[in-house]
Amino acid sequence: MNLAMRKIILDVDTGSDDAVAIMTAILSRELELLGVTTVHGNLPLPYTTDNTLRVMDFMKSQIPVYKGCPYPLVQDLTPGRRVNGDEVKHDTVIDGKVVAVHERELPLPPAVSGVQEEHAVPWLWRTLKYAEEKITLIPVGAMTNIATVLRMDPAVAAHIDEIICMGGGINVHNRSYRSETNFYNDPEAAKIMLNCGVKVTVVTLDATHSSWFGYEEVDELRRIGTKEAEFAAQMLYHRIYAANLIGARAEKKSALHDVLAVCAAIDPSVLTDVRHESCDVDIGGHIADGSLMVSSRYRYSRPENPTYIAYQADRDKLFAMLCRYLARGEKITGEGKTLGGEN
Ligand code: BDR
Ligand code: CA
């Protein structure tokens, strides 16, 4: 084991971009991935867990996967809370199939590995509590697992080096007028996480959308010639195609949100505009439910809550990092066989 590696735990709701984020973390040499925990979000928990296992098998990884929380903390206990003035609910069906940015099953062989018996939350608690070195948490789904651990035992916060989460949006939103999906999926959990006293870097939609990719990048990924890069190309292609088709976006491009959070753990300079600002999450249950609020008045005024909001990213650096890691995968040969690649 390389002692210089940063110890991380990925908390995912896999998910097309989560899948590429997991591959990136496994292929990087700067991160030591201790385990992957799954949570509800893009899809119900059985699917996010199964998809995570598919990715781990595809990567031939032995890193353990722990199934976490299936529901948000309390959000769904309030009738009528989910009223969202911006949500248009209709299915786009092509050839009898509903088109979604996150398909229920990733196009990978069914998983042969299984999840660990232990639930993600006690595993997170135990791993943090007894860690010799502080651990970085990278939640890129709803923050339910992280918040539950912090509620169970707030003292474990002392064992967290940093939380780098993908969530929230300042001027860019993808779920309601003011909210981003991961925060919207469990607003109370996002609030608990932001207020836990640990350094939290919030990789917002503003940052991920400042670094989005199009069909040109799909082709570039394909040219790398590894099975991991080919799969990432497939994910990016699908995200562009689906978001465009369902009317979420007019431009033919897409962000790989969760990859940016992982790359920020490797090289923070991939985030180019990061501001130390006070922030919170609306849990009022109305139209701004789950939205990230950043104070323009109390900047730097809450040293007990060191939150850092990322507004922008270096798109070229991000893509170069992604390509570099994916090139370390298994080379695709002419006969469709694979050989170990190195880079
Ligand atoms: C976030 O929500 C999910 O759809 C993605 O996987 C990403 O984590 C973007 O808002
Ligand atoms: Ca995600």
mmCIF file of all heavy atoms in Angstrom, residues 62-99:
data_model
loop_
_atom_site.group_PDB
_atom_site.id
_atom_site.type_symbol
_atom_site.label_atom_id
_atom_site.label_comp_id
_atom_site.label_asym_id
_atom_site.label_seq_id
_atom_site.Cartn_x
_atom_site.Cartn_y
_atom_site.Cartn_z
ATOM 1 N N GLN A 62 -12.163 -6.023 -5.559
ATOM 2 C CA GLN A 62 -12.551 -6.746 -4.335
ATOM 3 C C GLN A 62 -12.963 -5.768 -3.231
ATOM 4 O O GLN A 62 -13.217 -6.178 -2.099
ATOM 5 C CB GLN A 62 -11.367 -7.584 -3.813
ATOM 6 C CG GLN A 62 -10.775 -8.561 -4.803
ATOM 7 C CD GLN A 62 -11.785 -9.621 -5.221
ATOM 8 O OE1 GLN A 62 -12.489 -10.167 -4.380
ATOM 9 N NE2 GLN A 62 -11.875 -9.888 -6.520
ATOM 10 N N ILE A 63 -12.977 -4.492 -3.555
ATOM 11 C CA ILE A 63 -13.317 -3.486 -2.531
ATOM 12 C C ILE A 63 -14.772 -3.717 -2.094
ATOM 13 O O ILE A 63 -15.659 -3.872 -2.940
ATOM 14 C CB ILE A 63 -13.110 -2.057 -3.112
ATOM 15 C CG1 ILE A 63 -11.624 -1.856 -3.405
ATOM 16 C CG2 ILE A 63 -13.640 -0.985 -2.167
ATOM 17 C CD1 ILE A 63 -11.305 -0.679 -4.285
ATOM 18 N N PRO A 64 -15.018 -3.745 -0.770
ATOM 19 C CA PRO A 64 -16.365 -4.104 -0.305
ATOM 20 C C PRO A 64 -17.426 -3.028 -0.586
ATOM 21 O O PRO A 64 -17.135 -1.837 -0.574
ATOM 22 C CB PRO A 64 -16.172 -4.296 1.198
ATOM 23 C CG PRO A 64 -14.952 -3.543 1.543
ATOM 24 C CD PRO A 64 -14.069 -3.558 0.340
ATOM 25 N N VAL A 65 -18.633 -3.523 -0.819
ATOM 26 C CA VAL A 65 -19.789 -2.641 -1.063
ATOM 27 C C VAL A 65 -20.797 -2.884 0.061
ATOM 28 O O VAL A 65 -21.121 -4.030 0.379
ATOM 29 C CB VAL A 65 -20.437 -2.955 -2.429
ATOM 30 C CG1 VAL A 65 -21.703 -2.120 -2.645
ATOM 31 C CG2 VAL A 65 -19.442 -2.716 -3.575
ATOM 32 N N TYR A 66 -21.270 -1.798 0.678
ATOM 33 C CA TYR A 66 -22.224 -1.888 1.782
ATOM 34 C C TYR A 66 -23.511 -1.183 1.384
ATOM 35 O O TYR A 66 -23.480 -0.037 0.922
ATOM 36 C CB TYR A 66 -21.645 -1.200 3.031
ATOM 37 C CG TYR A 66 -20.379 -1.854 3.518
ATOM 38 C CD1 TYR A 66 -19.145 -1.514 2.963
ATOM 39 C CD2 TYR A 66 -20.411 -2.825 4.516
ATOM 40 C CE1 TYR A 66 -17.972 -2.125 3.389
ATOM 41 C CE2 TYR A 66 -19.242 -3.443 4.958
ATOM 42 C CZ TYR A 66 -18.032 -3.087 4.387
ATOM 43 O OH TYR A 66 -16.877 -3.690 4.814
ATOM 44 N N LYS A 67 -24.613 -1.884 1.589
ATOM 45 C CA LYS A 67 -25.917 -1.294 1.257
ATOM 46 C C LYS A 67 -26.360 -0.379 2.388
ATOM 47 O O LYS A 67 -26.338 -0.774 3.561
ATOM 48 C CB LYS A 67 -26.921 -2.421 1.027
ATOM 49 C CG LYS A 67 -28.277 -1.920 0.621
ATOM 50 C CD LYS A 67 -29.033 -2.915 -0.232
ATOM 51 C CE LYS A 67 -29.534 -4.088 0.578
ATOM 52 N NZ LYS A 67 -30.630 -4.793 -0.096
ATOM 53 N N GLY A 68 -26.790 0.824 2.023
ATOM 54 C CA GLY A 68 -27.158 1.813 3.027
ATOM 55 C C GLY A 68 -28.646 2.070 3.112
ATOM 56 O O GLY A 68 -29.461 1.144 3.011
ATOM 57 N N CYS A 69 -29.009 3.341 3.260
ATOM 58 C CA CYS A 69 -30.396 3.710 3.560
ATOM 59 C C CYS A 69 -31.276 3.762 2.309
ATOM 60 O O CYS A 69 -30.906 4.374 1.304
ATOM 61 C CB CYS A 69 -30.413 5.074 4.244
ATOM 62 S SG CYS A 69 -29.551 5.061 5.819
ATOM 63 N N PRO A 70 -32.457 3.159 2.404
ATOM 64 C CA PRO A 70 -33.359 3.147 1.248
ATOM 65 C C PRO A 70 -34.227 4.395 1.115
ATOM 66 O O PRO A 70 -34.774 4.655 0.044
ATOM 67 C CB PRO A 70 -34.238 1.923 1.503
ATOM 68 C CG PRO A 70 -34.224 1.730 2.981
ATOM 69 C CD PRO A 70 -32.933 2.308 3.494
ATOM 70 N N TYR A 71 -34.368 5.142 2.225
ATOM 71 C CA TYR A 71 -35.290 6.293 2.196
ATOM 72 C C TYR A 71 -34.616 7.503 2.831
ATOM 73 O O TYR A 71 -33.717 7.350 3.662
ATOM 74 C CB TYR A 71 -36.565 5.980 2.989
ATOM 75 C CG TYR A 71 -37.242 4.709 2.542
ATOM 76 C CD1 TYR A 71 -37.351 3.631 3.408
ATOM 77 C CD2 TYR A 71 -37.752 4.592 1.244
ATOM 78 C CE1 TYR A 71 -37.957 2.449 3.000
ATOM 79 C CE2 TYR A 71 -38.353 3.417 0.827
ATOM 80 C CZ TYR A 71 -38.442 2.346 1.712
ATOM 81 O OH TYR A 71 -39.020 1.188 1.291
ATOM 82 N N PRO A 72 -35.133 8.692 2.507
ATOM 83 C CA PRO A 72 -34.614 9.892 3.183
ATOM 84 C C PRO A 72 -34.956 9.851 4.669
ATOM 85 O O PRO A 72 -35.807 9.068 5.096
ATOM 86 C CB PRO A 72 -35.347 11.039 2.484
ATOM 87 C CG PRO A 72 -36.520 10.421 1.805
ATOM 88 C CD PRO A 72 -36.156 9.001 1.504
ATOM 89 N N LEU A 73 -34.304 10.707 5.449
ATOM 90 C CA LEU A 73 -34.493 10.685 6.900
ATOM 91 C C LEU A 73 -35.952 10.873 7.293
ATOM 92 O O LEU A 73 -36.544 10.026 7.933
ATOM 93 C CB LEU A 73 -33.642 11.778 7.559
ATOM 94 C CG LEU A 73 -32.122 11.661 7.432
ATOM 95 C CD1 LEU A 73 -31.437 12.843 8.108
ATOM 96 C CD2 LEU A 73 -31.630 10.347 8.055
ATOM 97 N N VAL A 74 -36.526 12.016 6.900
ATOM 98 C CA VAL A 74 -37.893 12.326 7.359
ATOM 99 C C VAL A 74 -38.759 12.974 6.279
ATOM 100 O O VAL A 74 -39.953 13.168 6.489
ATOM 101 C CB VAL A 74 -37.867 13.291 8.572
ATOM 102 C CG1 VAL A 74 -37.232 12.636 9.794
ATOM 103 C CG2 VAL A 74 -37.140 14.595 8.239
ATOM 104 N N GLN A 75 -38.147 13.316 5.187
ATOM 105 C CA GLN A 75 -38.802 14.148 4.192
ATOM 106 C C GLN A 75 -40.161 13.629 3.737
ATOM 107 O O GLN A 75 -41.114 14.382 3.595
ATOM 108 C CB GLN A 75 -37.840 14.258 3.017
ATOM 109 C CG GLN A 75 -38.442 14.503 1.692
ATOM 110 C CD GLN A 75 -37.435 14.192 0.627
ATOM 111 O OE1 GLN A 75 -36.511 14.952 0.475
ATOM 112 N NE2 GLN A 75 -37.598 13.107 -0.081
ATOM 113 N N ASP A 76 -40.265 12.310 3.571
ATOM 114 C CA ASP A 76 -41.516 11.775 3.036
ATOM 115 C C ASP A 76 -42.592 11.562 4.105
ATOM 116 O O ASP A 76 -43.637 10.992 3.835
ATOM 117 C CB ASP A 76 -41.258 10.478 2.250
ATOM 118 C CG ASP A 76 -40.438 9.473 3.048
ATOM 119 O OD1 ASP A 76 -40.000 9.818 4.160
ATOM 120 O OD2 ASP A 76 -40.256 8.345 2.557
ATOM 121 N N LEU A 77 -42.331 12.052 5.325
ATOM 122 C CA LEU A 77 -43.354 11.915 6.374
ATOM 123 C C LEU A 77 -44.354 13.075 6.342
ATOM 124 O O LEU A 77 -45.368 13.038 7.019
ATOM 125 C CB LEU A 77 -42.692 11.864 7.762
ATOM 126 C CG LEU A 77 -41.668 10.743 7.964
ATOM 127 C CD1 LEU A 77 -41.085 10.798 9.373
ATOM 128 C CD2 LEU A 77 -42.315 9.382 7.712
ATOM 129 N N THR A 78 -44.015 14.117 5.595
ATOM 130 C CA THR A 78 -44.893 15.278 5.548
ATOM 131 C C THR A 78 -45.718 15.245 4.262
ATOM 132 O O THR A 78 -45.176 15.464 3.181
ATOM 133 C CB THR A 78 -44.067 16.588 5.574
ATOM 134 O OG1 THR A 78 -43.113 16.483 6.613
ATOM 135 C CG2 THR A 78 -44.936 17.808 5.787
ATOM 136 N N PRO A 79 -47.022 14.959 4.383
ATOM 137 C CA PRO A 79 -47.834 14.878 3.165
ATOM 138 C C PRO A 79 -47.802 16.197 2.394
ATOM 139 O O PRO A 79 -47.832 17.274 2.993
ATOM 140 C CB PRO A 79 -49.252 14.601 3.695
ATOM 141 C CG PRO A 79 -49.073 14.133 5.092
ATOM 142 C CD PRO A 79 -47.796 14.745 5.597
ATOM 143 N N GLY A 80 -47.698 16.107 1.094
ATOM 144 C CA GLY A 80 -47.743 17.309 0.251
ATOM 145 C C GLY A 80 -46.416 18.016 0.137
ATOM 146 O O GLY A 80 -46.251 18.979 -0.594
ATOM 147 N N ARG A 81 -45.410 17.531 0.878
ATOM 148 C CA ARG A 81 -44.128 18.238 0.887
ATOM 149 C C ARG A 81 -43.440 18.213 -0.476
ATOM 150 O O ARG A 81 -42.697 19.121 -0.814
ATOM 151 C CB ARG A 81 -43.217 17.593 1.926
ATOM 152 C CG ARG A 81 -41.854 18.235 1.952
ATOM 153 C CD ARG A 81 -41.053 17.778 3.113
ATOM 154 N NE ARG A 81 -39.713 18.321 3.004
ATOM 155 C CZ ARG A 81 -38.774 18.158 3.910
ATOM 156 N NH1 ARG A 81 -39.040 17.488 5.001
ATOM 157 N NH2 ARG A 81 -37.577 18.666 3.733
ATOM 158 N N ARG A 82 -43.716 17.176 -1.219
ATOM 159 C CA ARG A 82 -42.986 17.014 -2.479
ATOM 160 C C ARG A 82 -43.515 17.871 -3.620
ATOM 161 O O ARG A 82 -43.168 17.641 -4.762
ATOM 162 C CB ARG A 82 -43.004 15.540 -2.902
ATOM 163 C CG ARG A 82 -42.381 14.606 -1.895
ATOM 164 C CD ARG A 82 -40.867 14.589 -1.949
ATOM 165 N NE ARG A 82 -40.248 15.785 -1.441
ATOM 166 C CZ ARG A 82 -38.968 16.096 -1.662
ATOM 167 N NH1 ARG A 82 -38.228 15.310 -2.369
ATOM 168 N NH2 ARG A 82 -38.458 17.196 -1.164
ATOM 169 N N VAL A 83 -44.370 18.842 -3.317
ATOM 170 C CA VAL A 83 -44.888 19.708 -4.376
ATOM 171 C C VAL A 83 -43.715 20.469 -4.977
ATOM 172 O O VAL A 83 -42.951 21.108 -4.271
ATOM 173 C CB VAL A 83 -45.944 20.692 -3.825
ATOM 174 C CG1 VAL A 83 -46.352 21.697 -4.889
ATOM 175 C CG2 VAL A 83 -47.152 19.909 -3.322
ATOM 176 N N ASN A 84 -43.567 20.339 -6.269
ATOM 177 C CA ASN A 84 -42.414 20.927 -6.937
ATOM 178 C C ASN A 84 -42.904 21.620 -8.200
ATOM 179 O O ASN A 84 -43.210 20.975 -9.196
ATOM 180 C CB ASN A 84 -41.423 19.796 -7.255
ATOM 181 C CG ASN A 84 -40.279 20.244 -8.120
ATOM 182 O OD1 ASN A 84 -40.200 21.411 -8.511
ATOM 183 N ND2 ASN A 84 -39.395 19.324 -8.438
ATOM 184 N N GLY A 85 -42.991 22.932 -8.131
ATOM 185 C CA GLY A 85 -43.564 23.710 -9.227
ATOM 186 C C GLY A 85 -42.860 23.564 -10.558
ATOM 187 O O GLY A 85 -43.409 23.922 -11.598
ATOM 188 N N ASP A 86 -41.660 23.027 -10.508
ATOM 189 C CA ASP A 86 -40.860 22.974 -11.740
ATOM 190 C C ASP A 86 -40.833 21.585 -12.367
ATOM 191 O O ASP A 86 -40.279 21.387 -13.439
ATOM 192 C CB ASP A 86 -39.425 23.393 -11.384
ATOM 193 C CG ASP A 86 -38.587 23.697 -12.601
ATOM 194 O OD1 ASP A 86 -39.160 24.112 -13.611
ATOM 195 O OD2 ASP A 86 -37.367 23.502 -12.533
ATOM 196 N N GLU A 87 -41.410 20.596 -11.642
ATOM 197 C CA GLU A 87 -41.245 19.222 -12.119
ATOM 198 C C GLU A 87 -42.300 18.871 -13.159
ATOM 199 O O GLU A 87 -43.493 18.979 -12.914
ATOM 200 C CB GLU A 87 -41.307 18.241 -10.951
ATOM 201 C CG GLU A 87 -40.644 16.922 -11.279
ATOM 202 C CD GLU A 87 -40.230 16.170 -10.021
ATOM 203 O OE1 GLU A 87 -41.095 15.959 -9.159
ATOM 204 O OE2 GLU A 87 -39.049 15.835 -9.899
ATOM 205 N N VAL A 88 -41.851 18.446 -14.318
ATOM 206 C CA VAL A 88 -42.766 18.016 -15.372
ATOM 207 C C VAL A 88 -42.692 16.498 -15.372
ATOM 208 O O VAL A 88 -41.635 15.917 -15.607
ATOM 209 C CB VAL A 88 -42.297 18.546 -16.746
ATOM 210 C CG1 VAL A 88 -43.311 18.203 -17.828
ATOM 211 C CG2 VAL A 88 -42.050 20.045 -16.681
ATOM 212 N N LYS A 89 -43.803 15.862 -15.074
ATOM 213 C CA LYS A 89 -43.750 14.400 -14.984
ATOM 214 C C LYS A 89 -44.353 13.764 -16.230
ATOM 215 O O LYS A 89 -45.563 13.732 -16.394
ATOM 216 C CB LYS A 89 -44.516 13.938 -13.746
ATOM 217 C CG LYS A 89 -43.761 14.097 -12.460
ATOM 218 C CD LYS A 89 -44.091 12.937 -11.542
ATOM 219 C CE LYS A 89 -43.336 12.908 -10.306
ATOM 220 N NZ LYS A 89 -42.385 13.153 -9.688
ATOM 221 N N HIS A 90 -43.518 13.319 -17.105
ATOM 222 C CA HIS A 90 -43.995 12.506 -18.222
ATOM 223 C C HIS A 90 -42.843 11.613 -18.665
ATOM 224 O O HIS A 90 -41.679 11.961 -18.516
ATOM 225 C CB HIS A 90 -44.507 13.378 -19.380
ATOM 226 C CG HIS A 90 -43.426 14.181 -20.037
ATOM 227 N ND1 HIS A 90 -43.254 15.525 -19.799
ATOM 228 C CD2 HIS A 90 -42.449 13.832 -20.905
ATOM 229 C CE1 HIS A 90 -42.211 15.954 -20.496
ATOM 230 N NE2 HIS A 90 -41.714 14.946 -21.169
ATOM 231 N N ASP A 91 -43.189 10.449 -19.177
ATOM 232 C CA ASP A 91 -42.156 9.523 -19.642
ATOM 233 C C ASP A 91 -41.930 9.699 -21.127
ATOM 234 O O ASP A 91 -42.881 9.869 -21.891
ATOM 235 C CB ASP A 91 -42.590 8.069 -19.377
ATOM 236 C CG ASP A 91 -42.500 7.724 -17.899
ATOM 237 O OD1 ASP A 91 -41.791 8.441 -17.167
ATOM 238 O OD2 ASP A 91 -43.155 6.747 -17.496
ATOM 239 N N THR A 92 -40.667 9.696 -21.538
ATOM 240 C CA THR A 92 -40.358 9.676 -22.960
ATOM 241 C C THR A 92 -40.115 8.217 -23.325
ATOM 242 O O THR A 92 -39.209 7.587 -22.769
ATOM 243 C CB THR A 92 -39.099 10.521 -23.248
ATOM 244 O OG1 THR A 92 -39.341 11.842 -22.763
ATOM 245 C CG2 THR A 92 -38.790 10.569 -24.739
ATOM 246 N N VAL A 93 -40.962 7.687 -24.216
ATOM 247 C CA VAL A 93 -40.850 6.267 -24.552
ATOM 248 C C VAL A 93 -40.379 6.124 -25.997
ATOM 249 O O VAL A 93 -40.961 6.709 -26.915
ATOM 250 C CB VAL A 93 -42.216 5.564 -24.360
ATOM 251 C CG1 VAL A 93 -42.099 4.069 -24.670
ATOM 252 C CG2 VAL A 93 -42.728 5.758 -22.941
ATOM 253 N N ILE A 94 -39.294 5.415 -26.197
ATOM 254 C CA ILE A 94 -38.784 5.147 -27.543
ATOM 255 C C ILE A 94 -38.718 3.628 -27.697
ATOM 256 O O ILE A 94 -38.135 2.952 -26.853
ATOM 257 C CB ILE A 94 -37.356 5.733 -27.747
ATOM 258 C CG1 ILE A 94 -37.321 7.226 -27.418
ATOM 259 C CG2 ILE A 94 -36.809 5.435 -29.130
ATOM 260 C CD1 ILE A 94 -37.617 8.185 -28.519
ATOM 261 N N ASP A 95 -39.287 3.131 -28.761
ATOM 262 C CA ASP A 95 -39.334 1.678 -29.006
ATOM 263 C C ASP A 95 -39.832 0.916 -27.774
ATOM 264 O O ASP A 95 -39.252 -0.109 -27.383
ATOM 265 C CB ASP A 95 -37.943 1.134 -29.415
ATOM 266 C CG ASP A 95 -37.479 1.714 -30.742
ATOM 267 O OD1 ASP A 95 -38.363 2.100 -31.540
ATOM 268 O OD2 ASP A 95 -36.257 1.795 -30.960
ATOM 269 N N GLY A 96 -40.831 1.451 -27.134
ATOM 270 C CA GLY A 96 -41.435 0.775 -25.978
ATOM 271 C C GLY A 96 -40.617 0.862 -24.703
ATOM 272 O O GLY A 96 -40.981 0.271 -23.691
ATOM 273 N N LYS A 97 -39.511 1.617 -24.729
ATOM 274 C CA LYS A 97 -38.648 1.698 -23.545
ATOM 275 C C LYS A 97 -38.602 3.138 -23.025
ATOM 276 O O LYS A 97 -38.420 4.073 -23.817
ATOM 277 C CB LYS A 97 -37.243 1.265 -23.976
ATOM 278 C CG LYS A 97 -36.433 0.694 -22.864
ATOM 279 C CD LYS A 97 -35.091 0.150 -23.343
ATOM 280 C CE LYS A 97 -34.119 0.249 -22.191
ATOM 281 N NZ LYS A 97 -32.859 0.816 -22.514
ATOM 282 N N VAL A 98 -38.763 3.288 -21.707
ATOM 283 C CA VAL A 98 -38.699 4.631 -21.125
ATOM 284 C C VAL A 98 -37.241 5.094 -21.140
ATOM 285 O O VAL A 98 -36.343 4.363 -20.707
ATOM 286 C CB VAL A 98 -39.234 4.629 -19.663
ATOM 287 C CG1 VAL A 98 -39.089 6.012 -19.036
ATOM 288 C CG2 VAL A 98 -40.685 4.174 -19.631
ATOM 289 N N VAL A 99 -37.029 6.306 -21.672
ATOM 290 C CA VAL A 99 -35.660 6.837 -21.729
ATOM 291 C C VAL A 99 -35.388 7.640 -20.454
ATOM 292 O O VAL A 99 -36.164 8.518 -20.091
ATOM 293 C CB VAL A 99 -35.472 7.753 -22.960
ATOM 294 C CG1 VAL A 99 -34.068 8.319 -22.998
ATOM 295 C CG2 VAL A 99 -35.790 6.996 -24.232
#
